[in-house]
Amino acid sequence: MLFDLCGRVAFLCVAAGTMTRDCHGAASPEQVHVDVNLLWQLGNSLSVDRAKYFNIASAPWSNDWNLTHTADFALDFRAHLGRVPSVTQMMSQLQPTSSGYINASALSERCSAHPKVLNTWPKDNVEMITMALPITYYASFNSTGFVPADHNAAAEMWSLYLRYCTPSWQKRFLCEVINEPTTQIEKCNTTWQEMIDLHVAIAQRIHQDFNRSVYLVGGPTEAYPSYDVRDFTLWNKTLRPFIDQAADSMDFLSVHLYDTYEKAAVADDQPDQLNYTGRTGSNIDALLDLADAYSRATKGKVLPHLISEFGSGFKENGFAYHPLHDWYIIRGVGGKIMQFLLRPDTIMKAVPYVLGSASWDQHGVNPSPYALWHIDGNGSYVRTHLWKLYAFFKDVDGDYVYCNTSNVNVQAVVVRLGSNYSKSAERLIVLHNLYHLNVSVTVFLSDAVRVVSETRLFWDVEDKIPQLVTRTSTEQETTRERITIPVTLTPGEMRSMRVVSISNRTQLPTVVEHTLYCIETIVPISGALQSFRVGSCVANSTNNLQLRSHQDRIHHGTLKLSVSVRDDASTLNAIQVLVNGNNISVDPSRQLTSKRFVEQSTNTFFGTLRIPIAPQYFDFNATGCGAGQTIEVQFPRAGGYISSILMLVGITSDNQ
């Protein structure tokens, strides 16, 4: 098959280092391969679920949503809602009780007047996350409103709230017990152990009183998941004991993921590429993979992730509005959406921190930088540029189509479009440049296509705004058949290309991608050759894949090696990896994102290398529960950690 050949040639070229590289670290050109006629099932997910990714942190009963705004965001941009601290908002309106248990009749009466209405939003576009702030539970942190006496009282509070105060039209309820609790332990005058116990008590009561498939509970909603700092001290103090003690009661793990800008200052009205901490890409992979691998090894299951806040944040507050801040947020949200789209089985839902008018988040005369509308000099609310993010992604829907990229800094997602996906000839190719410089990309297609239109979302250096531009192909252009599409992406640019497959095949084969795990996590790097097994059976798990029965249908493989090591070339460029005794070329410049999450005090970074593995390197002779793929890794010196090892394996359907 043409694509298999192209894909393998691409792997060999990258491994051999034949592609040129400029002094800034970007390859010229990079390659994205698209198999136009091969569907891609990621775990159990064949199609994009828009409700998972394209959300706004707002409620339908907000005054922001008049007919015009709803028509834009719900109907045209096809966005979804939302997340607000609804439990805390309600409890703050109730009087304390002498028993410390909530007055059920007072709650019922209060909730009967609660908006809970859709207003103009269609109900299928609303799935509110129900959440409580730490102030809800701790008297030392709360001088007004109802505060539960103990864990049983808190659990009853949640049960009654869900019974009386949640909207009847909502199909599923995601309940976050405490928002960002690890940042408030001292203010709450408590311990992390007590907060874990609180999560368990509330989850068990909700599962006792409600259908667990409809009412899901999770935590710990961590704000700064820098798990690797100081030899994984934070991991060992927070998420690891949470999984150990609470995972059996949890339906998901929740976390907040931000690229953080040290300063909001604007110089020359152009993006500052250096003054922020970047999580997008390799760092997020490492964070989520560690949680997945550990829960899989210890609990026999992978708990999905609720990313209840993500995007870009600022350490400063109270700065004047500037379109550049919109661009920072667009870039941070867009890159993470592209990443989450390709891990649908482990993402329950992701809500970017993008608000409505956010009138509550004003800093003097300065508006919230996260708002879709801000107050201008005349006192009127005007739209910021954040709407362009939702407009750009509005057509990302349908079945996944297989693609791969030669460089993780060039993100790629491809879908088959149309109201009837099984018959659609249209594909949408979406690219995102994580580099802070222009990058040339050639899109190779397995079958000829015609380009219908192209949409770009980029920073306009002349107009100094995030620019959204769609160009429809001319009649002459639409008759031209293409098997390659060369593009140049500006720094941070997102680009989508709508193409039509010439062959228009209706019945397409599928490659199903499975994830194999290593049960060892956070292993110290010795400097010697270290051996691991990936894909061995795990107790109490029904998801134990045996490759031997699929030997003739292996389509592709990717090794995900997550490490915490010194961020220097002498370390990264000397990593040696063997898969079942076969030496595999490692190219950190393409297999790690260029903007890395680096701990400045130790100059260490925490991230995942994505290393292509050709099908012939798999071991099909190993059988039984102790079997698996042998991965050997050696670093040039001792120090640092291998936090997790995963392997993605694509297996084609029988009708391939």
Side-chain angles (χ1 to χ4, degrees), residues 7-132:
R8 288 167 186 168
V9 169
F11 289 160
L12 293 173
C13 288
V14 170
T18 59
M19 300 176 72
T20 59
R21 182 168 302 279
D22 65 29
C23 61
H24 297 284
S28 179
E30 295 298 349
Q31 302 179 12
V32 172
H33 288 260
V34 179
D35 193 326
V36 176
N37 295 315
L38 180 62
L39 300 182
W40 191 10
Q41 181 174 318
L42 297 159
N44 294 315
S45 301
L46 182 61
S47 303
V48 173
D49 180 356
R50 288 189 57 85
K52 282 189 176 186
Y53 313 104
F54 306 110
N55 296 287
I56 304 170
S58 180
W61 49 82
S62 166
N63 292 331
D64 294 327
W65 301 114
N66 58 33
L67 284 171
T68 301
H69 294 163
T70 301
D72 286 343
F73 284 89
L75 304 181
D76 187 10
F77 305 155
R78 305 170 66 210
H80 294 252
L81 301 178
R83 181 181 186 255
V84 291
S86 50
V87 176
T88 298
Q89 291 171 347
M90 181 56 64
M91 298 308 141
S92 66
Q93 300 174 38
L94 297 177
Q95 294 297 317
T97 62
S98 58
S99 66
Y101 279 71
I102 199 164
N103 184 322
S105 60
L107 177 66
S108 176
E109 181 180 356
R110 176 71 67 174
C111 286
S112 66
H114 187 268
K116 296 197 298 282
V117 295
L118 281 162
N119 283 343
T120 53
W121 274 80
K123 64 181 180 181
D124 288 342
N125 287 56
V126 179
E127 184 180 67
M128 296 301 300
I129 296 173
T130 306
M131 176 264 287

Side-chain angles (χ1 to χ4, degrees), residues 193-252:
Q193 182 61 56
E194 184 275 329
M195 287 182 162
I196 293 176
D197 295 340
L198 177 63
H199 276 83
V200 172
I202 290 172
Q204 290 179 346
R205 177 62 183 269
I206 291 174
H207 293 147
Q208 172 187 307
D209 294 350
F210 299 94
N211 184 337
R212 189 164 182 173
S213 66
V214 178
Y215 292 82
L216 292 84
V217 188
T221 322
E222 288 192 88
Y224 305 104
S226 300
Y227 296 141
D228 63 308
V229 174
R230 293 190 297 278
D231 298 322
F232 287 87
T233 295
L234 185 62
W235 161 263
N236 288 317
K237 284 185 175 180
T238 59
L239 191 56
R240 179 175 179 173
F242 186 88
I243 293 173
D244 289 343
Q245 300 176 49
D248 292 336
S249 302
M250 296 295 114
D251 302 299
F252 58 82

Side-chain angles (χ1 to χ4, degrees), residues 315-444:
K315 284 195 173 181
E316 294 182 341
N317 285 321
F319 46 85
Y321 172 77
H322 193 284
L324 190 55
H325 302 138
D326 291 341
W327 176 240
Y328 290 160
I329 293 170
I330 288 170
R331 187 170 64 185
V333 171
K336 294 174 185 63
I337 286 177
M338 292 288 287
Q339 193 167 356
F340 298 153
L341 278 165
L342 294 183
R343 37 190 318 153
D345 255 21
T346 59
I347 298 293
M348 176 168 284
K349 194 177 184 71
V351 182
Y353 196 66
V354 176
L355 312 169
S357 59
S359 57
W360 50 270
D361 191 27
Q362 306 296 313
H363 303 272
V365 298
N366 296 314
S368 168
Y370 311 102
L372 290 167
W373 297 275
H374 76 98
I375 300 176
D376 66 6
N378 299 318
S380 301
Y381 276 101
V382 295
R383 186 179 284 186
T384 67
H385 295 278
L386 296 183
W387 69 270
K388 296 175 181 177
L389 177 76
Y390 295 92
F392 176 83
F393 281 111
K394 70 177 183 178
D395 292 327
V396 177
D397 202 355
D399 297 334
Y400 288 102
V401 173
Y402 182 76
C403 66
N404 69 47
T405 176
S406 65
N407 191 321
V408 297
N409 294 283
V410 180
Q411 296 175 303
V413 173
V414 183
V415 293
R416 175 169 61 170
L417 297 174
S419 57
N420 185 346
Y421 301 140
S422 65
K423 296 181 180 179
S424 174
E426 287 194 320
R427 310 289 186 264
L428 188 69
I429 302 169
V430 187
L431 306 176
H432 181 217
N433 179 18
L434 291 178
Y435 279 125
H436 296 298
L437 68 161
N438 292 349
V439 61
S440 297
V441 180
T442 300
V443 179
F444 292 89

Side-chain angles (χ1 to χ4, degrees), residues 17 44 49 114 146 149 153 190 196 281 335 442 464 514 550 583:
N44 294 315
D49 180 356
H114 187 268
F146 171 77
T190 188
I196 293 176
T442 300
K464 300 173 182 177
H514 302 265
H550 306 288
N583 190 50

Side-chain angles (χ1 to χ4, degrees), residues 243 247 253 290-303:
I243 293 173
L253 299 174
L290 174 57
D292 292 352
Y294 185 75
S295 61
R296 161 82 172 165
T298 59
K299 300 297 180 179
K301 62 180 180 180
V302 174
L303 284 169

